[in-house]
Amino acid sequence: VHACGILSDVLVATAAEHQMPLALVPCCHSRKRRLLEDCASPFAKREYDDILNAKKSLPNLADLLDEARMTALENAGCDVMEVFIPEIFTGKNRLIMGRPSNTPLIAKSDDASVTSLATESPERSPFRKGQMPPLLDDDKTSTTTTAAINPKARFMKGFYVPCEDTKESRDIVSNIAGRAAANKRKELMHNRNHVDAPQMDLSLWLPPEDAEMGDGGFLSEESLTRILEMKSPEYVTCEVTKMGDVYINPAGRKAQLFRVQYNNQVDGETLSFDEAKSIHAQLRDAVPINFPGAECR
C-alpha cells in the first residue's frame, strides 16, 4: 500500500493489533498532533511521544516516523524488513514489510500458478501465488471468518481494510483505489458542511494601505463576487464569505481568507468540482490584476 500521511500509521496500528502482514510505502509524513495522536500505535508509544513532544522542527521526520512504525510492528511480534525501491518510481521509496512471526511464508514452486505454504501443518490447503494468508484467531488457529479489519481511529469511521483474498474483497479494493476514486474523495473533501455545491478557499495577502486603487476597487467579498460574475457561466452563481479575522504576520503584512461557494442554478444539478476549480483558478489569476499589491498566499 502506498499510503499518504497518517493513513500509514492507521495501517501499521491495525496490522500490529490484529497480527496481519503488511507491505507499506509511506509518504507525506506529518506530525500534526490532532491527527497523529489518534492513530499512533500503542506498540511504539515512546517513539511516537518523542515525535509529538519535540519542541523544534524535525528535518529527519520521515526517518523518525518510519522508525516508529517499524518499532510498532516489531514490538507486536512481527518480523520487519526495510528495503528501498528504485527512486525512478517514487522519491518516497522506503518499503516497510511486516509479517507476523507465526504466519508461514509462501514457498517457491515449480508450478507458476500454485504455491504451497512452508508450514508445520502439511494438511493446510495450497494458496494461489500472492494470496493473503488466512487470518489467525486468538488461539493462533487459521480462520477465514473475519473478512475485514476496522481501524480504531475516529476519523476512519466507515473505513475498513479487506483481508481475505475473495472476489468481494478485491472488488472493494478496486472501488477505493485509482485516480477516479481519489477524485471522488477529493470532491467530497471540498464539499464542506455537506452542502450541495463545491466550496473552495482563497487566502490572500491584502494590498498595502498606501497601494493605488485598482480596477477592482477595495478588496472585499463584494468586489470578488463581481469578478466571479464576469468569469462564470450564466448558470453559475457564487457566494463569497470572509472567514475569520485578518491575519498579521511578524513583518506586519496582512492576510485574509475567503471562502467561495459555487452554485448551479439549474434545478437538481450540482456544479462539478472540476468546473468550480476552473472558475476558481480564474479568480486567483485575476486578483493581482484587479487589486495591485494583493497576491495569493
Side-chain angles (χ1 to χ4, degrees), residues 155-167:
F155 58 87
M156 298 295 287
K157 183 179 180 181
F159 178 92
Y160 62 95
V161 182
C163 293
E164 288 184 321
D165 187 13
T166 63
K167 182 180 184 303

Side-chain angles (χ1 to χ4, degrees), residues 269-280:
E269 293 191 14
T270 301
L271 195 69
S272 71
F273 173 76
D274 287 339
E275 187 169 5
K277 185 177 180 180
S278 175
I279 301 172
H280 202 69

Side-chain angles (χ1 to χ4, degrees), residues 40 49 58 60 70 98 105 183 197 213 235 246 271 294:
D49 283 347
L58 299 174
N60 59 336
M70 288 186 283
L105 287 168
N183 287 338
M213 189 73 70
Y235 57 85
V246 171
L271 195 69

Side-chain angles (χ1 to χ4, degrees), residues 6 12 15 41 51 85 94 150 164 169 207 266:
I6 56 172
V12 165
S41 171
I51 293 171
I85 60 179
R94 178 185 278 120
N150 296 289
E164 288 184 321
S169 293
V266 180

Side-chain angles (χ1 to χ4, degrees), residues 99-115:
R99 180 182 63 84
S101 55
N102 54 9
T103 300
L105 287 168
I106 292 185
K108 293 182 179 179
S109 169
D110 294 333
D111 186 336
S113 60
V114 178
T115 60

Side-chain angles (χ1 to χ4, degrees), residues 162-227:
C163 293
E164 288 184 321
D165 187 13
T166 63
K167 182 180 184 303
E168 181 181 5
S169 293
R170 291 193 293 273
D171 288 343
I172 291 173
V173 172
S174 295
N175 287 334
I176 62 176
R179 176 54 55 191
N183 287 338
K184 183 179 293 186
R185 289 193 295 272
K186 185 187 297 183
E187 186 170 347
L188 290 173
M189 288 171 61
H190 283 273
N191 191 359
R192 298 178 177 85
N193 301 322
H194 306 286
V195 295
D196 295 326
Q199 294 184 340
M200 299 183 186
D201 291 345
L202 186 69
S203 182
L204 301 174
W205 290 115
L206 301 177
E209 295 180 359
D210 57 354
E212 293 184 6
M213 189 73 70
D215 295 338
F218 180 72
L219 203 165
S220 63
E221 297 154 286
E222 293 75 17
S223 58
L224 291 175
T225 300
R226 288 196 296 270
I227 293 176

